[in-house]
Amino acid sequence: MKIGIPAETRPGETRVAATPETIKKYVAAKHQVIVQSGAGIASSITDEAYQAAGAQIGSAADAFGADLLLKVRAPNAEERALIKSGTVLVGMLNPFDADNIAAMAAHGLSAFALEAAPRITRAQSMDVLSSQANIAGYKAVMLAANTYQRFMPMLMTAAGTVKAARVLIMGVGVAGLQAIATAKRLGAVIEASDVRPPVKEQVESLGAKFIDVPFLTDEEKEIAQGTGGYARAMPADWMRRQAELVHERAKQADIIITTALIPGRKAPILISEETVKAMKPGSVIVDMAVEQGGNCPLSELDKTVTKYGVHIIGEPNLATLVAADASALYARNVLDFLKLIIDKDAALAINREDEIVAATLVCSGGEILRK
Ligand code: NAD
Protein backbone atom coordinates (compact mmCIF):
# COMPACT_ATOMS: atom_id res chain seq x y z
CA MET A 1 0.00 0.00 0.00
CA LYS A 2 1.07 3.57 -0.60
CA ILE A 3 1.48 5.36 2.74
CA GLY A 4 1.77 9.17 2.76
CA ILE A 5 3.39 11.30 5.46
CA PRO A 6 2.50 14.96 4.82
CA ALA A 7 4.18 17.88 6.60
CA GLU A 8 1.96 19.34 9.34
CA THR A 9 0.78 22.88 8.64
CA ARG A 10 -1.13 23.85 11.78
CA PRO A 11 0.67 26.78 13.48
CA GLY A 12 3.00 25.57 16.23
CA GLU A 13 2.76 21.93 15.18
CA THR A 14 6.27 20.49 15.17
CA ARG A 15 5.50 16.78 15.16
CA VAL A 16 5.39 14.29 12.33
CA ALA A 17 3.48 11.01 12.17
CA ALA A 18 6.33 8.71 11.09
CA THR A 19 10.02 8.49 11.91
CA PRO A 20 12.82 6.59 10.16
CA GLU A 21 12.33 3.88 12.81
CA THR A 22 8.66 3.30 11.93
CA ILE A 23 9.23 3.80 8.21
CA LYS A 24 11.75 0.95 8.16
CA LYS A 25 8.99 -1.27 9.55
CA TYR A 26 6.44 -0.13 6.94
CA VAL A 27 8.95 -0.71 4.15
CA ALA A 28 9.85 -4.15 5.56
CA ALA A 29 6.11 -4.95 5.48
CA LYS A 30 6.13 -4.17 1.71
CA HIS A 31 4.50 -0.73 1.84
CA GLN A 32 5.64 2.15 -0.28
CA VAL A 33 6.15 5.26 1.87
CA ILE A 34 6.13 8.83 0.53
CA VAL A 35 7.22 11.59 2.88
CA GLN A 36 6.60 15.23 2.01
CA SER A 37 9.92 17.02 1.77
CA GLY A 38 10.69 18.79 5.07
CA ALA A 39 7.95 16.95 7.00
CA GLY A 40 10.34 15.89 9.77
CA ILE A 41 12.56 18.91 10.00
CA ALA A 42 10.88 20.48 13.06
CA SER A 43 11.40 17.12 14.79
CA SER A 44 15.07 17.09 13.72
CA ILE A 45 14.50 14.42 11.05
CA THR A 46 16.03 15.21 7.67
CA ASP A 47 14.73 14.06 4.28
CA GLU A 48 17.98 12.09 3.96
CA ALA A 49 17.23 10.17 7.17
CA TYR A 50 13.79 9.24 5.80
CA GLN A 51 15.34 8.20 2.49
CA ALA A 52 17.92 6.05 4.27
CA ALA A 53 15.00 4.32 6.01
CA GLY A 54 13.45 3.47 2.65
CA ALA A 55 10.99 6.32 2.07
CA GLN A 56 10.61 8.36 -1.10
CA ILE A 57 10.59 12.14 -0.71
CA GLY A 58 7.91 14.01 -2.63
CA SER A 59 5.67 17.08 -2.75
CA ALA A 60 2.57 17.72 -0.62
CA ALA A 61 0.45 16.44 -3.51
CA ASP A 62 2.52 13.23 -3.69
CA ALA A 63 2.17 12.58 0.04
CA PHE A 64 -1.56 13.49 0.21
CA GLY A 65 -2.20 11.34 -2.87
CA ALA A 66 -1.38 8.09 -0.99
CA ASP A 67 -3.97 5.43 -0.05
CA LEU A 68 -3.24 5.66 3.65
CA LEU A 69 -2.32 9.00 5.25
CA LEU A 70 -0.54 9.26 8.57
CA LYS A 71 -1.00 12.71 10.11
CA VAL A 72 -0.64 14.37 13.47
CA ARG A 73 -3.52 16.85 13.04
CA ALA A 74 -6.67 16.78 10.95
CA PRO A 75 -6.21 18.16 7.42
CA ASN A 76 -7.55 21.66 6.75
CA ALA A 77 -9.72 22.46 3.72
CA GLU A 78 -6.72 23.15 1.50
CA GLU A 79 -5.13 19.84 2.44
CA ARG A 80 -8.39 17.95 2.06
CA ALA A 81 -8.52 19.12 -1.53
CA LEU A 82 -5.34 17.11 -2.18
CA ILE A 83 -6.82 13.90 -0.76
CA LYS A 84 -8.78 11.50 -2.94
CA SER A 85 -12.09 10.08 -1.84
CA GLY A 86 -11.75 6.66 -0.17
CA THR A 87 -8.38 7.48 1.43
CA VAL A 88 -7.79 6.14 4.93
CA LEU A 89 -6.59 8.79 7.36
CA VAL A 90 -5.06 8.17 10.79
CA GLY A 91 -4.24 10.98 13.21
CA MET A 92 -5.19 13.00 16.26
CA LEU A 93 -8.28 14.23 14.46
CA ASN A 94 -10.20 15.56 17.49
CA PRO A 95 -13.27 13.34 17.88
CA PHE A 96 -15.16 16.23 19.50
CA ASP A 97 -14.84 18.47 16.43
CA ALA A 98 -18.13 17.65 14.72
CA ASP A 99 -17.62 20.12 11.83
CA ASN A 100 -14.30 18.62 10.92
CA ILE A 101 -15.67 15.08 11.07
CA ALA A 102 -18.56 16.13 8.84
CA ALA A 103 -16.10 17.65 6.35
CA MET A 104 -13.98 14.48 6.31
CA ALA A 105 -17.09 12.33 5.87
CA ALA A 106 -18.31 14.52 2.99
CA HIS A 107 -14.90 14.09 1.38
CA GLY A 108 -15.34 10.28 1.49
CA LEU A 109 -12.48 9.64 3.92
CA SER A 110 -12.24 6.72 6.33
CA ALA A 111 -10.82 8.61 9.28
CA PHE A 112 -9.48 7.24 12.55
CA ALA A 113 -9.22 9.68 15.49
CA LEU A 114 -6.67 8.02 17.73
CA GLU A 115 -7.63 10.06 20.82
CA ALA A 116 -10.92 8.16 20.91
CA ALA A 117 -9.30 4.77 21.60
CA PRO A 118 -10.76 3.13 24.70
CA ARG A 119 -8.54 2.97 27.79
CA ILE A 120 -8.12 -0.77 27.77
CA THR A 121 -4.89 -2.73 28.17
CA ARG A 122 -4.77 -3.77 24.49
CA ALA A 123 -4.91 -0.11 23.40
CA GLN A 124 -2.10 1.10 25.67
CA SER A 125 0.65 0.89 23.04
CA MET A 126 -1.42 3.08 20.70
CA ASP A 127 -2.63 5.56 23.34
CA VAL A 128 -1.64 8.92 21.87
CA LEU A 129 -3.19 10.91 24.71
CA SER A 130 -0.92 9.16 27.19
CA SER A 131 2.26 9.34 25.12
CA GLN A 132 1.81 13.06 24.50
CA ALA A 133 0.50 13.95 27.99
CA ASN A 134 3.54 12.27 29.51
CA ILE A 135 5.82 14.57 27.52
CA ALA A 136 3.65 17.61 28.23
CA GLY A 137 3.77 16.96 31.99
CA TYR A 138 7.55 16.89 31.86
CA LYS A 139 7.77 20.06 29.77
CA ALA A 140 5.35 21.93 32.05
CA VAL A 141 7.82 21.53 34.92
CA MET A 142 10.69 22.62 32.67
CA LEU A 143 8.81 25.79 31.66
CA ALA A 144 7.90 26.53 35.27
CA ALA A 145 11.50 26.06 36.41
CA ASN A 146 12.67 28.38 33.66
CA THR A 147 10.32 31.18 34.70
CA TYR A 148 10.69 30.67 38.47
CA GLN A 149 13.36 32.97 39.83
CA ARG A 150 14.55 30.62 42.56
CA PHE A 151 16.09 27.19 42.91
CA MET A 152 13.95 24.07 42.83
CA PRO A 153 16.04 21.93 45.24
CA MET A 154 16.99 22.71 48.81
CA LEU A 155 20.62 23.85 48.85
CA MET A 156 23.02 24.36 51.72
CA THR A 157 25.80 26.64 50.59
CA ALA A 158 28.51 28.70 52.24
CA ALA A 159 26.34 31.73 51.51
CA GLY A 160 23.39 30.23 53.35
CA THR A 161 20.54 27.78 52.85
CA VAL A 162 18.02 27.92 50.01
CA LYS A 163 14.60 26.37 50.61
CA ALA A 164 13.19 23.75 48.21
CA ALA A 165 10.39 24.98 45.92
CA ARG A 166 6.86 23.89 46.84
CA VAL A 167 5.00 22.56 43.82
CA LEU A 168 1.24 21.96 43.67
CA ILE A 169 -0.08 19.67 40.93
CA MET A 170 -3.81 19.90 40.17
CA GLY A 171 -5.13 16.88 38.27
CA VAL A 172 -3.01 13.76 38.40
CA GLY A 173 -3.60 11.80 35.19
CA VAL A 174 -0.72 10.91 32.91
CA ALA A 175 0.57 14.52 32.65
CA GLY A 176 0.20 15.18 36.36
CA LEU A 177 2.06 12.02 37.34
CA GLN A 178 4.95 12.91 35.04
CA ALA A 179 4.93 16.47 36.40
CA ILE A 180 5.22 15.09 39.94
CA ALA A 181 8.06 12.75 38.94
CA THR A 182 9.91 15.54 37.10
CA ALA A 183 9.53 18.10 39.90
CA LYS A 184 10.64 15.43 42.36
CA ARG A 185 13.81 14.77 40.35
CA LEU A 186 14.55 18.50 40.57
CA GLY A 187 14.21 18.36 44.35
CA ALA A 188 10.87 20.14 44.89
CA VAL A 189 8.41 19.40 47.70
CA ILE A 190 5.14 18.35 46.06
CA GLU A 191 1.42 18.26 46.86
CA ALA A 192 -1.27 17.09 44.46
CA SER A 193 -5.05 16.96 44.09
CA ASP A 194 -7.42 14.91 41.93
CA VAL A 195 -11.04 13.82 42.08
CA ARG A 196 -10.41 10.15 41.40
CA PRO A 197 -9.71 8.20 44.62
CA PRO A 198 -7.15 5.68 43.17
CA VAL A 199 -4.86 8.62 42.42
CA LYS A 200 -4.02 9.09 46.12
CA GLU A 201 -1.89 5.93 46.19
CA GLN A 202 -0.10 6.86 42.93
CA VAL A 203 0.71 10.34 44.25
CA GLU A 204 2.07 8.95 47.51
CA SER A 205 4.13 6.31 45.72
CA LEU A 206 5.95 9.15 43.93
CA GLY A 207 6.79 10.77 47.25
CA ALA A 208 4.23 13.60 47.02
CA LYS A 209 1.45 14.51 49.46
CA PHE A 210 -2.19 14.02 48.39
CA ILE A 211 -4.68 16.76 49.24
CA ASP A 212 -7.70 14.85 50.48
CA VAL A 213 -11.08 16.41 49.76
CA PRO A 214 -13.52 14.15 51.60
CA PHE A 215 -16.62 12.82 49.83
CA LEU A 216 -19.69 13.68 51.90
CA THR A 217 -22.40 11.94 49.85
CA ASP A 218 -22.76 8.69 47.89
CA GLU A 219 -23.38 10.80 44.77
CA GLU A 220 -20.02 12.54 45.16
CA LYS A 221 -18.28 9.20 45.66
CA GLU A 222 -19.99 7.73 42.60
CA ILE A 223 -19.16 10.67 40.27
CA ALA A 224 -15.54 10.72 41.50
CA GLN A 225 -15.03 7.21 40.10
CA GLY A 226 -15.24 8.76 36.60
CA THR A 227 -16.05 6.81 33.43
CA GLY A 228 -13.64 4.74 31.40
CA GLY A 229 -10.63 6.14 33.33
CA TYR A 230 -11.72 9.75 32.73
CA ALA A 231 -13.00 12.22 35.32
CA ARG A 232 -16.58 13.51 35.37
CA ALA A 233 -17.62 17.00 36.43
CA MET A 234 -17.90 17.00 40.24
CA PRO A 235 -20.91 18.49 42.11
CA ALA A 236 -20.60 22.19 43.00
CA ASP A 237 -20.41 21.52 46.74
CA TRP A 238 -17.38 19.25 46.37
CA MET A 239 -15.71 21.75 44.04
CA ARG A 240 -16.27 24.48 46.66
CA ARG A 241 -14.65 22.39 49.38
CA GLN A 242 -11.77 21.53 47.04
CA ALA A 243 -11.31 25.23 46.19
CA GLU A 244 -11.09 26.13 49.91
CA LEU A 245 -8.37 23.57 50.51
CA VAL A 246 -6.54 24.47 47.31
CA HIS A 247 -6.66 28.16 48.24
CA GLU A 248 -4.77 27.42 51.46
CA ARG A 249 -2.24 25.15 49.72
CA ALA A 250 -1.75 27.65 46.85
CA LYS A 251 -0.74 30.38 49.32
CA GLN A 252 2.26 28.23 50.28
CA ALA A 253 3.08 27.09 46.72
CA ASP A 254 5.86 28.46 44.51
CA ILE A 255 4.74 26.62 41.37
CA ILE A 256 1.30 25.29 40.42
CA ILE A 257 0.78 23.01 37.45
CA THR A 258 -2.83 22.40 36.48
CA THR A 259 -3.78 19.54 34.16
CA ALA A 260 -7.44 18.87 35.00
CA LEU A 261 -9.62 17.96 32.04
CA ILE A 262 -13.12 16.55 31.55
CA PRO A 263 -13.37 14.98 28.06
CA GLY A 264 -15.50 16.99 25.64
CA ARG A 265 -16.19 19.76 28.18
CA LYS A 266 -14.70 23.00 29.35
CA ALA A 267 -11.90 22.45 31.88
CA PRO A 268 -12.93 22.91 35.55
CA ILE A 269 -11.82 26.12 37.29
CA LEU A 270 -9.45 25.09 40.07
CA ILE A 271 -7.36 28.22 40.73
CA SER A 272 -9.66 31.23 41.06
CA GLU A 273 -8.65 34.87 40.73
CA GLU A 274 -8.95 35.17 44.53
CA THR A 275 -6.45 32.33 44.93
CA VAL A 276 -4.00 33.89 42.47
CA LYS A 277 -4.26 37.16 44.47
CA ALA A 278 -3.33 35.27 47.62
CA MET A 279 -0.26 33.60 46.07
CA LYS A 280 3.32 34.69 46.70
CA PRO A 281 4.77 37.22 44.23
CA GLY A 282 7.11 35.52 41.76
CA SER A 283 5.27 32.23 41.91
CA VAL A 284 4.40 30.48 38.67
CA ILE A 285 1.28 28.75 37.31
CA VAL A 286 1.42 26.54 34.23
CA ASP A 287 -2.16 26.04 33.02
CA MET A 288 -2.00 22.91 30.87
CA ALA A 289 -5.76 23.03 30.32
CA VAL A 290 -5.55 26.48 28.68
CA GLU A 291 -6.81 25.20 25.32
CA GLN A 292 -9.95 23.80 26.98
CA GLY A 293 -10.71 27.13 28.66
CA GLY A 294 -8.11 26.82 31.42
CA ASN A 295 -8.07 25.68 35.06
CA CYS A 296 -7.32 29.30 35.98
CA PRO A 297 -9.57 32.07 34.63
CA LEU A 298 -6.56 34.43 34.36
CA SER A 299 -4.52 32.27 31.99
CA GLU A 300 -4.36 33.38 28.35
CA LEU A 301 -3.85 31.06 25.40
CA ASP A 302 -0.38 31.25 23.86
CA LYS A 303 0.81 33.85 26.37
CA THR A 304 2.66 34.19 29.64
CA VAL A 305 0.97 36.89 31.69
CA THR A 306 1.79 38.30 35.11
CA LYS A 307 -1.23 38.92 37.33
CA TYR A 308 -0.96 40.04 40.97
CA GLY A 309 2.77 39.25 40.71
CA VAL A 310 2.14 35.64 39.63
CA HIS A 311 3.46 34.47 36.25
CA ILE A 312 0.79 32.43 34.46
CA ILE A 313 1.97 30.35 31.51
CA GLY A 314 -0.72 29.58 28.93
CA GLU A 315 1.37 27.65 26.43
CA PRO A 316 -0.86 25.10 24.68
CA ASN A 317 0.20 21.76 23.35
CA LEU A 318 3.39 21.39 25.34
CA ALA A 319 4.35 18.11 23.65
CA THR A 320 5.19 20.07 20.50
CA LEU A 321 8.03 21.72 22.46
CA VAL A 322 9.73 18.33 22.83
CA ALA A 323 9.21 17.62 19.15
CA ALA A 324 11.69 14.83 18.50
CA ASP A 325 10.56 12.57 21.32
CA ALA A 326 6.91 13.52 20.90
CA SER A 327 7.15 12.43 17.25
CA ALA A 328 9.07 9.26 18.13
CA LEU A 329 6.41 8.14 20.61
CA TYR A 330 3.48 9.25 18.46
CA ALA A 331 4.91 7.44 15.42
CA ARG A 332 5.14 4.24 17.47
CA ASN A 333 1.54 4.66 18.61
CA VAL A 334 0.52 4.98 14.94
CA LEU A 335 2.58 1.93 13.94
CA ASP A 336 0.85 -0.16 16.60
CA PHE A 337 -2.57 1.12 15.58
CA LEU A 338 -1.95 0.19 11.95
CA LYS A 339 -1.40 -3.44 12.99
CA LEU A 340 -5.12 -3.42 13.80
CA ILE A 341 -6.28 -2.32 10.35
CA ILE A 342 -3.67 -3.85 8.01
CA ASP A 343 -3.40 -7.60 7.50
CA LYS A 344 -0.26 -9.69 7.01
CA ASP A 345 -0.50 -9.25 3.22
CA ALA A 346 -0.10 -5.48 3.67
CA ALA A 347 -3.75 -4.88 2.67
CA LEU A 348 -6.35 -2.87 4.57
CA ALA A 349 -8.61 -5.01 6.75
CA ILE A 350 -10.91 -2.80 8.80
CA ASN A 351 -12.84 -4.93 11.25
CA ARG A 352 -15.56 -2.72 12.64
CA GLU A 353 -16.40 -5.32 15.27
CA ASP A 354 -13.07 -4.60 16.96
CA GLU A 355 -13.62 -2.39 20.01
CA ILE A 356 -10.67 -0.08 19.24
CA VAL A 357 -11.53 0.21 15.54
CA ALA A 358 -15.17 0.94 16.33
CA ALA A 359 -14.26 3.66 18.85
CA THR A 360 -11.72 5.44 16.65
CA LEU A 361 -13.37 5.27 13.20
CA VAL A 362 -15.17 8.63 13.09
CA CYS A 363 -16.36 8.47 9.48
CA SER A 364 -16.31 6.09 6.52
CA GLY A 365 -18.00 5.86 3.13
CA GLY A 366 -19.56 9.30 3.56
CA GLU A 367 -21.15 8.33 6.84
CA ILE A 368 -20.45 10.05 10.18
CA LEU A 369 -19.90 7.30 12.70
CA ARG A 370 -19.24 9.34 15.82
CA LYS A 371 -22.34 10.94 17.25
P1 NAD B 1 -7.09 13.72 31.73
O1 NAD B 1 -6.02 14.34 30.91
O2 NAD B 1 -8.41 13.45 31.10
O3 NAD B 1 -7.35 14.61 33.02
C1 NAD B 1 -6.27 14.98 33.86
C2 NAD B 1 -6.61 14.72 35.31
O4 NAD B 1 -7.47 15.75 35.79
C3 NAD B 1 -7.34 13.40 35.59
O5 NAD B 1 -6.59 12.63 36.50
C4 NAD B 1 -8.67 13.86 36.17
O6 NAD B 1 -9.17 12.96 37.15
C5 NAD B 1 -8.28 15.18 36.78
N1 NAD B 1 -9.39 16.06 37.14
C6 NAD B 1 -10.55 16.30 36.47
N2 NAD B 1 -11.32 17.17 37.16
C7 NAD B 1 -10.62 17.50 38.28
C8 NAD B 1 -10.86 18.35 39.39
N3 NAD B 1 -12.00 19.05 39.51
N4 NAD B 1 -9.91 18.44 40.36
C9 NAD B 1 -8.76 17.74 40.28
N5 NAD B 1 -8.48 16.92 39.25
C10 NAD B 1 -9.39 16.79 38.27
O7 NAD B 1 -6.54 12.37 32.38
P2 NAD B 1 -5.56 11.31 31.73
O8 NAD B 1 -4.16 11.74 31.91
O9 NAD B 1 -6.00 11.06 30.36
O10 NAD B 1 -5.73 10.02 32.64
C11 NAD B 1 -6.91 9.61 33.25
C12 NAD B 1 -6.72 8.21 33.85
O11 NAD B 1 -6.73 7.20 32.83
C13 NAD B 1 -5.40 8.01 34.60
O12 NAD B 1 -5.65 7.31 35.78
C14 NAD B 1 -4.59 7.15 33.68
O13 NAD B 1 -3.64 6.37 34.38
C15 NAD B 1 -5.67 6.30 33.08
N6 NAD B 1 -5.23 5.69 31.80
C16 NAD B 1 -5.48 4.37 31.57
C17 NAD B 1 -5.08 3.79 30.38
C18 NAD B 1 -5.30 2.34 30.11
O14 NAD B 1 -5.69 1.60 30.99
N7 NAD B 1 -5.12 1.91 28.89
C19 NAD B 1 -4.46 4.56 29.41
C20 NAD B 1 -4.24 5.91 29.67
C21 NAD B 1 -4.63 6.47 30.88
Side-chain angles (χ1 to χ4, degrees):
M1 201 174 359
K2 218 189 237 188
I3 302 181
I5 320 293
E8 298 296 322
T9 56
R10 187 173 140 139
E13 187 51 75
T14 55
R15 294 166 291 183
V16 60
T19 57
E21 176 196 327
T22 60
I23 283 178
K24 272 186 201 153
K25 300 205 165 125
Y26 297 136
V27 173
K30 307 266 177 286
H31 298 294
Q32 181 191 356
V33 183
I34 305 174
V35 177
Q36 182 180 342
S37 180
I41 209 65
S43 286
S44 312
I45 307 171
T46 59
D47 287 354
E48 290 71 27
Y50 279 127
Q51 268 168 328
Q56 289 162 247
I57 302 297
S59 64
D62 296 331
F64 277 107
D67 311 310
L68 168 61
L69 285 183
L70 308 184
K71 292 252 313 120
V72 177
R73 298 297 193 160
N76 59 26
E78 218 173 287
E79 293 167 328
R80 268 200 313 274
L82 300 172
I83 308 176
K84 52 185 195 270
S85 173
T87 300
V88 175
L89 170 65
V90 174
M92 289 193 278
L93 307 178
N94 189 356
F96 296 108
D97 184 348
D99 292 344
N100 172 51
I101 294 175
M104 294 191 296
H107 203 74
L109 306 184
S110 289
F112 291 94
L114 295 179
E115 309 97 305
R119 293 203 132 165
I120 56 175
T121 307
R122 190 163 61 89
Q124 264 175 356
S125 63
M126 50 193 98
D127 185 340
V128 293
L129 291 182
S130 292
S131 74
Q132 303 304 298
N134 191 20
I135 295 174
Y138 159 84
K139 192 65 184 183
V141 176
M142 295 293 117
L143 289 187
N146 197 37
T147 298
Y148 183 52
Q149 293 299 309
R150 295 172 193 271
F151 271 113
M152 289 284 256
M154 194 268 272
L155 285 185
M156 291 165 92
T157 79
T161 300
V162 173
K163 276 200 216 154
R166 301 189 73 91
V167 175
L168 174 60
I169 312 279
M170 300 294 304
V172 192
V174 179
L177 281 175
Q178 183 55 256
I180 294 178
T182 305
K184 190 81 193 164
R185 284 180 213 118
L186 290 175
V189 173
I190 303 153
E191 291 186 301
S193 167
D194 201 293
V195 289
R196 293 175 303 112
V199 169
K200 180 176 175 45
E201 211 180 294
Q202 296 166 4
V203 166
E204 288 172 349
S205 75
L206 286 171
K209 187 168 172 252
F210 190 70
I211 302 172
D212 248 322
V213 184
F215 301 114
L216 299 185
T217 64
D218 286 346
E219 189 208 8
E220 286 181 0
K221 242 186 238 164
E222 205 266 315
I223 296 175
Q225 302 301 322
T227 358
Y230 291 107
R232 288 166 61 194
M234 287 300 286
D237 196 49
W238 188 92
M239 291 294 288
R240 184 187 49 74
R241 278 180 278 130
Q242 182 197 38
E244 280 168 14
L245 272 180
V246 167
H247 184 81
E248 290 312 310
R249 304 321 306 148
K251 284 202 280 194
Q252 311 297 324
D254 298 298
I255 293 173
I256 301 183
I257 295 180
T258 71
T259 81
L261 295 175
I262 313 280
R265 297 181 62 153
K266 207 173 163 300
I269 295 289
L270 302 180
I271 307 290
S272 66
E273 181 164 355
E274 281 310 300
T275 297
V276 176
K277 258 190 211 171
M279 287 174 68
K280 292 185 273 188
S283 46
V284 179
I285 299 174
V286 181
D287 189 343
M288 291 182 64
V290 68
E291 255 181 311
Q292 283 73 37
N295 292 139
C296 174
L298 302 183
S299 61
E300 292 179 29
L301 188 64
D302 271 324
K303 285 192 189 146
T304 296
V305 293
T306 303
K307 303 270 169 89
Y308 307 109
V310 177
H311 308 298
I312 307 172
I313 301 176
E315 182 82 48
N317 213 347
L318 294 177
T320 62
L321 303 180
V322 193
D325 274 335
S327 293
L329 299 186
Y330 179 69
R332 284 186 210 141
N333 292 145
V334 171
L335 174 78
D336 271 311
F337 178 78
L338 291 190
K339 290 178 190 157
L340 269 186
I341 59 165
I342 295 179
D343 66 16
K344 58 182 179 354
D345 301 318
L348 272 176
I350 298 174
N351 171 16
R352 291 219 204 161
E353 303 289 298
D354 182 282
E355 186 182 0
I356 304 172
V357 170
T360 50
L361 186 59
V362 292
C363 62
S364 186
E367 199 188 340
I368 295 172
L369 300 170
R370 179 155 180 121
K371 303 294 173 233

